[in-house]
Amino acid sequence: MKVHVDSEKCQGHNRCYALAPGLFKVDEFGYATERNDGVVPENMRDKARLAVENCPERAISIVEDDASA
Amino acid sequence: MAEPVKDWTTDYDIFDPAYKRDPFPIWDEIREECPIAHTERWGGSFMPTRYEDLFNIARNIQTYSSRNVLVADFEPSAYGEDPEGVPAEVQTASQTAGGAPPITADPPVHTWARKLLLPPFSATQVARYEPETRELCAELIAGFIANGRADGAADYAQQIPPRVIASMLGIPKDKAETFTGWVRGFLELGLTDPEMRQSSAISIFSYMNEVIQERKQNLREGDLPSYLLTSQVDGEPVPEAHVLGTCFLLMVAGIDTTWSSIGSAIWHLAQHPADRARLIAEPELIDSAVEELLRAYSPVTMARYVAEETEYAGCPMHEGDKVLMNFPAANRDPRVFENPDQVIIDREKNPHIAFGVGIHRCAGSNLARMEMKVAIQEWLKHIPEFRLEAPDEVTWAGGQVRGPRKMALVWGS
C-alpha cells in the first residue's frame, strides 16, 4: 500500500500529520507530503485510511499494489 | 425589532434570538427541505447547508470572491464614507490593504499574503506559545476555583485568546480587555450596527498602526509586526498598508472565534459527565475530542461575494450577491457524518470544515486547536466535576461567530 498527497489540493489543515506523523510530513507553510515515497508499513495501514477519511480537501489517495492488497 | 421568521428557507435571519440560541434544528430543516436557503434580510444572502455544496462553493474562488466576508453591507475600507478623526496614514493603509488580507483577498494578492502568514502559524511555531497558554489557563482557574463558581465564558474562555494573540503581536497583555471590546464591537455587536463596527475598526487600525510605527524604529525578535515588516515579497518589503491590514486581521480573527470554541467545548463538557470522565481517563483522546468539538460546535460562518453571474443547484445568483458559508451546518450533515448531532469524542471519520475548505482555510487553525486543547486540559485537571448552574440562562452570540457569552458554572458542594 502507498499513500499520496495531491499538492494541488492540500491546504495545510495538518490533519494527516496529526493522525499519522509516521506517514506524512509538513513543510514550513503546513503543506503535507508523504514520507518514504508513500510506502505504508503493514502496521500503519489503518492510519493511512484514517488520513484519507479525515482530509477535508480530499487530497490524499491510497494506491493498493497487488502484492499487499 | 425585526419581524419574526416564519419560513427559514426563504426568510432566514442569522441574528434571530432562536437562531443564536439553537440553530441546529433550523439547519436540519433547511438542509432537507431547501438546502440553499435565501433571505432578503440584512442586504440579502444565500445560505448553503449541505457539506457537498459548501465544499464546492468554497473551492470555486473565481465565482465566489472573498473581497467581502461579512454578510451585512460593509465597506472594504472599514471606514465608510466619513472617516472623520481617522489619521490619514491609517485611512490610506486600510484602503490600500483592501481590508484584512489574506482573508479579504483573492489571488494573486491572496497567494503571496497567505504564504507570508502561514509559517508563523504552523503547528511547530504555534507550539512555542503552549507553555504560556497553559500557565495562563491555570492562573485564571486559580483566581476563581475556591469560589465554587465562575462564568465559563466571561471569566475563562474569553480571557484566553486575546492574551495569546497579544503575545504573538508583541503587545501588552494587560490591554486584553480593551482588545476584546474592540473585536466584539467589530465582529459581534457591530455586525448589525454599522457605526459601532466602524468605530471599533478605527480603534483597532489606529492602535495597530501605532504599534507598527513603533516597531519600525525598534524591531523585535519573534513578534508578528516585526516579522511582517522585515519580510520581502518578490524582493521588495511588504507594503506597510498590507502589514497593517494583516495585523488587523490577526486581532479580529484570533479572538472571538477561538474564545467561542473554547466556550462551547466547556458548555458541552458541563453537561456530559461521561465525556469528561473519558477525557480524564484517556488523555490521549484530547486531539480527536478537539476535532469533534470543532465539528459539532463550529463557531465561524464567513461570507462570499458573487463575482459573476452564475447558477448553483438551480439558484440563479447575480454579481454582488452574498453567500453565507454555513460551514457549521455542513459539519452536521448526515450525508457525511454518522449521528451528526451526537458528540463522539473518539469519532474516527471526521473531515469537518470548521476552518473552511480551499485556499481560505483558517490560517490560525493550529493556534485555535492548541488553545482549545490546553484550555480543556487545564480545566479538567483542576475542575473535573462541574455543571451549568442554569442551562436556560446561558446566552449565545450568533450571526457569523457563535459561542456562549454568559455561562454560569458551579462545582464543589
Side-chain angles (χ1 to χ4, degrees):
Chain A
M1 182 196 274
K2 285 180 109 175
V3 280
H4 174 64
V5 182
D6 182 340
S7 60
E8 295 284 308
K9 291 183 181 168
C10 175
Q11 294 294 346
H13 290 255
N14 208 53
R15 298 292 301 280
C16 60
Y17 180 67
L19 286 164
L23 296 176
F24 303 94
K25 57 182 191 258
V26 289
D27 66 14
E28 63 170 315
F29 304 100
Y31 297 119
T33 43
E34 59 277 3
R35 289 188 197 272
N36 192 23
D37 287 333
V39 175
V40 179
E42 200 152 326
N43 63 352
M44 292 183 82
R45 287 183 184 184
D46 288 347
K47 293 268 189 202
R49 291 192 185 98
L50 266 185
V52 173
E53 290 187 331
N54 282 280
C55 176
E57 305 288 347
R58 304 174 193 169
I60 307 173
S61 52
I62 285 182
V63 189
E64 303 272 0
D65 55 57
D66 290 340
S68 61
Chain B
M1 279 302 282
E3 283 287 305
V5 175
K6 293 199 188 78
D7 183 344
W8 284 96
T9 63
T10 58
D11 185 34
Y12 62 79
D13 181 357
I14 60 168
F15 302 107
D16 184 279
Y19 186 92
K20 288 186 187 179
R21 194 172 54 247
D22 188 17
F24 307 110
I26 296 171
W27 295 341
D28 289 346
E29 181 192 323
I30 296 173
R31 202 188 293 109
E32 299 313 315
E33 283 180 17
C34 174
I36 299 181
H38 184 260
T39 192
E40 293 294 337
R41 295 181 193 237
W42 305 107
S45 58
F46 292 92
M47 181 164 75
T49 51
R50 289 187 184 174
Y51 187 100
E52 202 61 26
D53 293 334
L54 268 300
F55 184 87
N56 291 334
I57 293 171
R59 291 163 47 97
N60 182 354
I61 54 172
Q62 198 79 40
T63 305
Y64 305 98
S65 161
S66 282
R67 75 182 72 160
N68 191 337
V69 294
L70 297 180
V71 74
D73 279 332
F74 176 70
E75 291 293 320
S77 73
Y79 292 114
E81 288 179 358
D82 182 25
E84 208 178 319
V86 180
E89 72 271 23
V90 176
Q91 277 182 50
T92 318
S94 77
Q95 278 154 11
T96 320
I103 200 173
T104 52
D106 293 317
V109 170
H110 173 274
T111 310
W112 65 259
R114 184 169 175 85
K115 209 173 165 193
L116 179 66
L117 198 53
L118 287 177
F121 286 92
S122 71
T124 320
Q125 287 303 309
V126 157
R128 294 194 298 143
Y129 297 90
E130 187 171 324
E132 67 180 75
T133 306
R134 201 170 287 287
E135 207 174 303
L136 165 65
C137 292
E139 264 171 41
L140 291 168
I141 294 168
F144 52 62
I145 190 167
N147 303 340
R149 57 180 300 120
D151 188 314
D155 300 335
Y156 191 62
Q158 184 177 331
Q159 301 296 326
I160 302 164
R163 287 176 176 77
V164 177
I165 207 75
S167 184
M168 293 187 84
L169 288 169
I171 55 186
K173 287 183 205 174
D174 56 17
K175 285 202 75 158
E177 299 283 339
T178 311
F179 303 150
T180 301
W182 291 341
V183 171
R184 289 187 78 178
F186 182 73
L187 203 57
E188 184 183 323
L189 312 165
L191 218 50
T192 53
D193 179 347
E195 268 175 44
M196 177 183 284
R197 185 164 57 195
Q198 179 172 330
S199 68
S200 305
I202 290 169
S203 301
I204 303 172
F205 269 116
S206 304
Y207 179 76
M208 285 317 307
N209 186 51
E210 279 171 34
V211 172
I212 288 164
Q213 299 312 316
E214 191 277 330
R215 283 303 185 285
K216 276 163 64 186
Q217 309 303 318
N218 308 292
L219 287 170
R220 292 194 203 165
E221 189 68 39
D223 78 24
L224 280 165
S226 302
Y227 163 79
L228 294 168
L229 285 167
T230 52
S231 293
Q232 294 204 333
V233 173
D234 295 333
E236 298 284 329
V238 180
E240 201 176 305
H242 187 94
V243 173
L244 180 57
T246 297
C247 288
F248 174 85
L249 166 65
L250 297 177
M251 188 176 283
V252 169
I255 293 184
D256 235 36
T257 52
T258 311
W259 136 39
S260 295
S261 287
I262 295 170
S264 293
I266 300 288
W267 179 80
H268 174 85
L269 292 170
Q271 301 171 90
H272 292 84
D275 286 344
R276 295 200 297 266
R278 212 170 157 209
L279 272 175
I280 292 165
E282 300 170 71
E284 68 280 7
L285 291 181
I286 188 68
D287 290 332
S288 67
V290 165
E291 300 301 335
E292 177 66 347
L293 291 162
L294 280 164
R295 179 194 71 78
Y297 306 108
S298 312
V300 182
T301 299
M302 285 287 105
R304 294 292 187 271
Y305 175 99
V306 177
E308 59 191 20
E309 296 292 305
T310 191
E311 186 177 308
Y312 187 88
C315 302
M317 298 182 187
H318 305 291
E319 188 179 343
D321 285 349
K322 297 283 184 60
V323 181
L324 198 53
M325 301 298 281
N326 200 336
F327 297 116
N331 286 337
R332 297 253 186 164
D333 187 344
R335 289 159 192 79
V336 177
F337 302 97
E338 267 179 60
N339 300 317
D341 292 327
Q342 232 179 308
V343 170
I344 302 167
I345 59 170
D346 60 350
R347 186 183 286 272
E348 287 209 325
K349 185 183 177 192
N350 185 6
H352 72 76
I353 48 177
F355 294 117
V357 66
I359 67 165
H360 288 281
R361 186 269 301 170
C362 171
S365 60
N366 294 309
L367 181 65
R369 286 188 176 108
M370 182 278 280
E371 292 183 42
M372 282 180 74
K373 180 183 83 168
V374 171
I376 295 170
Q377 286 175 327
E378 289 302 307
W379 186 282
L380 290 178
K381 179 176 159 193
H382 298 283
I383 310 177
E385 285 300 314
F386 62 106
R387 62 180 174 83
L388 295 174
E389 185 175 52
D392 293 341
E393 285 170 26
V394 175
T395 64
W396 295 83
Q400 292 195 243
V401 181
R402 179 176 189 271
R405 291 296 177 264
K406 269 176 66 184
M407 176 170 62
L409 300 169
V410 287
W411 55 87
S413 52

